[in-house]
Amino acid sequence: MEAFDRYPVLMSPFDIRGRRLRNRIVSTPHATGWSRDGLIDRSEVDYHVRKSAGGCGLVMTFGSASVDRSTEASYGSVALWDERNEPALRALADGVHEHGALVMSQMTHMGRRGTSATSGIPLRAPSDLPEGVHMEVPVPLATDELPAIVERFANVARRLEQCGLDGAEVTSFGGHLIEQFFDPRVNTRTDEYGGSLENRTRFAREVLEAVRAEVSDTFIVGFRMTLDQCLTGGLGPDEMIEIARSLASTGTVDLFSVSGGTGATRLATGYFVPGDMLPIGLYNERAIRFRQEVGVPTLVAGRNVEPDMAEAVVAAGVELVAMTRALIADPDLPLKIADGRHHRPCIGLNDGCIGRLYTGMPMYCSVNPAIRDPGLAEVVEAEAPLRVVVVGGGVAGLEAARAAALRGHHVVLFERRMTLGGRARLAAQRSGRERWYRYIDWLRDEADATGAEILLGVDADADRVLEEKPDVVIVATGSILRPEARLPGPVPVLDVDELLDHGLAVLPDPSSGAAVILDDDGHQLAPTASEMLVAAGFEVEIATTHPSVGDLIDATQLPFVLQRLARDGVRLTPNVTGVASSGRAVTLRHLYSEADEQRERIAVVVIAGRRMALCALPDQLAAAAPGLPVIVVGDALSPRTLLDATTEGARAGANIAAAAQVPAN
């Protein structure tokens, strides 16, 4: 079936301000953390151009891009006020246009939502109330400071048009300065910019009117805002629609871009980049209502990761749909929709993209290694196909098998289990993670389609590997719990993998006592185990060596993890380690006071602990076949994250020819 038959609205063109989008698919603005000192790095230009080459209709760039040197995001942002960025902006516009898409840039002032740590300039905001995430007290903006900020928005819009971009988006979204003026709980002013709705929207109207006056009639002016702050006592759909009507009355807004959440609290922050604990398409119904009541073309963002859902929302009247993280996972998504091919699915983990930004690291993608290493997207047929054996069918092994087979090598993959996916399949058992299975299945299907032979239920030793007469071996055998991580004593102890793999079959009767999870991992393993234990009827405590439970979970996911733990009544105990058990009691020791405390009537202990590589095979192969190139990837090299496993697997599969030229270490 042709894409235009199956997705007649999603794949249809859309005209705005005399410009035509070839389809309704949009990549909304987001930061990458790749640029430094506010200057646009070439990698950022190439990244956005790549989305245009993949068929995206509208590419929007530079999340939290600043109009003023006094404001930037805590992870760094592009300085649109800096004229040194003009060559990069021209290259961006030319590159995107060459592949048939339109391009706009977001522009903003962060207000209190940021940090003065790098600039040394105190934050400015409508009032002196600190935001609940960064907690820095801002300086209240004087009334006579506002015209200069308005002018800077207009100046940046003029620069963007002069550099060839098709439009600019003024943003309030995420609790930025303009939204801070909207919110009466944040804006406590008594002048003409505070109090009534007309006053609280005055600054936004002045910005939009100044921007519109500074650009041509064919330049698109957008406005990004929340549909619902998703905050108790905050601005909800009714209030935000009223605000949007006020802005629309100026006649300056060509496109409203809407989503949910705000930056005022940690929990509300999680809503504006919804992860896998929130449903897909969660703002679509609110966006449909918004479009109907405001009457201006609308773009909706919020986990629209599949074309069927995207088609449904645009068919319901919302003109454009953001598929931003889906495009990070697979920039060729629009072309694949058009060709009827399956795309690499976004799993909503957030750990590799926005979660990294929030900890000061550059954005990558947990399921698309080419974001971290763009060269992996270039598939060149091998001049001399080699025989490649991959041992291990987790994501590292599957990525390796796919990448090698795509390049024409003859691939055999051995997996000792009867299912593929390794620890990723176990992690997928957490509620909301159904899309993890889709990613694993996609890898399997891709490997199959490229001719890789996948053999399940084969615990391949050196002899079995060598029967295949390989030119290169990739070892992706994973990891196991470190022996010393198991708690000594008579209380039954389970590795978290055993629990996730076998469930109720390995658990005692919950009436026999409570469950303690000893957590050294700091990520999602302990909360995932607790979810299963609570469902089985246990009272649960997570005792962690970290300063808090979920210490290493990214900031967009952690609030929902903690919310679920609180609702489940799970006891959270930080800064302790398990020492031993005696009878039915478990001894916990505080890491700093070194005081011991007992937990009585414990039926089972689950260990979410430190792991060690399961990697005897390389030494066996070195002894049996000296000189045979062996590449070790993923947890078999060093137990780390999904992001590391996928990237190392893909790199190994892509570099088979180079590996065959050097002896094994």
Side-chain angles (χ1 to χ4, degrees), residues 571-592:
R571 180 178 180 181
L572 309 181
T573 307
N575 300 317
V576 296
T577 187
V579 177
S581 68
S582 176
R584 299 179 62 197
V586 169
T587 301
L588 303 178
R589 179 167 296 161
H590 197 278
L591 295 176
Y592 304 107

Side-chain angles (χ1 to χ4, degrees), residues 210-226:
V211 168
R212 182 78 268 168
E214 197 67 30
V215 297
S216 72
D217 286 343
T218 60
F219 191 74
I220 302 165
V221 176
F223 188 82
R224 193 171 198 193
M225 62 186 295
T226 187

Side-chain angles (χ1 to χ4, degrees), residues 4 7-26 55-58 60 100-104 166 218 220-222 253-257 291 295-300 314-315 317-321:
F4 293 101
Y7 305 111
V9 186
L10 182 64
M11 301 308 292
S12 68
F14 176 66
D15 295 328
I16 183 169
R17 275 278 168 185
R19 301 172 188 261
R20 170 157 289 193
L21 278 66
R22 58 188 168 191
N23 58 49
R24 310 302 184 93
I25 299 172
V26 180
C56 186
L58 173 60
M60 303 175 84
L102 299 187
V103 59
M104 296 173 63
D166 302 290
T218 60
I220 302 165
V221 176
V253 181
D254 302 309
L255 179 69
F256 278 106
S257 176
R291 173 63 180 90
V296 174
T298 299
L299 158 65
V300 62
V314 291
V318 176
E319 285 84 356
L320 302 175
V321 58

Side-chain angles (χ1 to χ4, degrees), residues 522-644:
H523 289 279
Q524 293 268 16
L525 284 174
T528 302
S530 87
E531 189 175 297
M532 184 173 289
L533 290 165
V534 168
F538 286 92
E539 292 184 5
V540 179
E541 176 178 4
I542 300 176
T544 182
T545 53
H546 291 265
S548 61
V549 170
D551 184 43
L552 301 180
I553 298 174
D554 83 83
T556 65
Q557 295 277 52
L558 181 58
F560 300 106
V561 173
L562 296 176
Q563 185 182 66
R564 175 64 183 266
L565 292 171
R567 289 174 177 172
D568 284 347
V570 177
R571 180 178 180 181
L572 309 181
T573 307
N575 300 317
V576 296
T577 187
V579 177
S581 68
S582 176
R584 299 179 62 197
V586 169
T587 301
L588 303 178
R589 179 167 296 161
H590 197 278
L591 295 176
Y592 304 107
S593 71
E594 298 188 347
D596 289 347
E597 52 184 290
Q598 302 294 311
R599 297 292 186 266
E600 304 291 341
R601 199 171 174 271
I602 302 302
V604 64
V605 173
V606 177
I607 308 292
R610 296 186 179 92
R611 303 182 69 81
M612 59 186 293
L614 183 59
C615 199
L617 186 58
D619 289 340
Q620 296 169 7
L621 290 170
L628 175 65
V630 177
I631 309 170
V632 184
V633 297
D635 278 10
L637 179 64
S638 170
R640 286 157 294 151
T641 67
L642 179 68
L643 171 68
D644 297 303

Side-chain angles (χ1 to χ4, degrees), residues 294-307:
V294 176
V296 174
T298 299
L299 158 65
V300 62
R303 286 205 81 192
N304 279 294
V305 291
E306 291 297 329

Side-chain angles (χ1 to χ4, degrees), residues 105-377:
S105 174
Q106 186 180 96
M107 51 185 188
T108 194
H109 190 297
M110 298 286 289
R112 68 175 189 165
R113 182 165 172 75
T115 178
S116 63
T118 52
S119 69
I121 303 172
L123 302 181
R124 294 291 200 278
S127 308
D128 66 350
L129 298 174
E131 173 222 273
V133 177
H134 295 89
M135 301 301 291
E136 183 172 333
V137 177
V139 177
L141 281 159
T143 305
D144 61 7
E145 290 182 88
L146 297 177
I149 298 176
V150 169
E151 183 180 3
R152 286 164 196 148
F153 274 98
N155 290 342
V156 166
R158 182 179 66 250
R159 168 171 287 134
L160 293 173
E161 183 170 27
Q162 289 173 345
C163 290
L165 278 77
D166 302 290
E169 178 184 82
V170 176
T171 190
S172 65
F173 182 60
H176 290 199
L177 179 63
I178 291 175
E179 185 182 307
Q180 293 160 32
F181 273 96
F182 293 160
D183 191 342
R185 300 192 310 172
V186 177
N187 178 358
T188 60
R189 302 172 74 97
T190 57
D191 62 7
E192 63 267 37
Y193 292 94
S196 68
L197 175 70
E198 181 181 359
N199 284 354
R200 288 183 284 113
T201 57
R202 187 184 307 278
F203 177 65
R205 295 197 309 272
E206 290 176 348
V207 168
L208 288 166
E209 289 166 352
V211 168
R212 182 78 268 168
E214 197 67 30
V215 297
S216 72
D217 286 343
T218 60
F219 191 74
I220 302 165
V221 176
F223 188 82
R224 193 171 198 193
M225 62 186 295
T226 187
L227 289 159
D228 183 347
Q229 287 186 325
C230 302
L231 183 66
T232 300
L235 298 171
D238 293 343
E239 292 87 355
M240 296 314 300
I241 286 173
E242 191 176 11
I243 287 168
R245 283 173 171 163
S246 173
L247 304 184
S249 69
T250 65
T252 59
V253 181
D254 302 309
L255 179 69
F256 278 106
S257 176
V258 297
S259 191
T262 185
T265 68
R266 296 184 192 279
L267 181 59
T269 296
Y271 280 100
F272 71 75
V273 189
D276 59 22
M277 295 188 72
L278 291 171
I280 60 175
L282 72 164
Y283 302 121
N284 289 358
E285 292 302 318
R286 278 168 279 191
I288 293 167
R289 177 194 167 194
F290 179 97
R291 173 63 180 90
Q292 291 170 344
E293 297 192 20
V294 176
V296 174
T298 299
L299 158 65
V300 62
R303 286 205 81 192
N304 279 294
V305 291
E306 291 297 329
D308 289 345
M309 177 170 283
E311 171 71 18
V313 73
V314 291
V318 176
E319 285 84 356
L320 302 175
V321 58
M323 302 187 76
T324 309
R325 278 176 291 171
L327 288 162
I328 297 173
D330 194 335
D332 290 323
L333 170 67
L335 292 180
K336 290 180 177 179
I337 291 174
D339 294 344
R341 292 177 287 159
H342 293 296
H343 58 279
R344 185 189 289 262
C346 170
I347 62 174
L349 176 60
N350 282 6
D351 186 63
C353 51
I354 187 71
R356 287 177 58 86
L357 284 173
Y358 282 0
T359 55
M361 295 184 289
M363 183 205 83
Y364 296 137
C365 176
S366 293
V367 299
N368 182 5
I371 298 297
R372 189 175 192 174
D373 187 347
L376 294 174

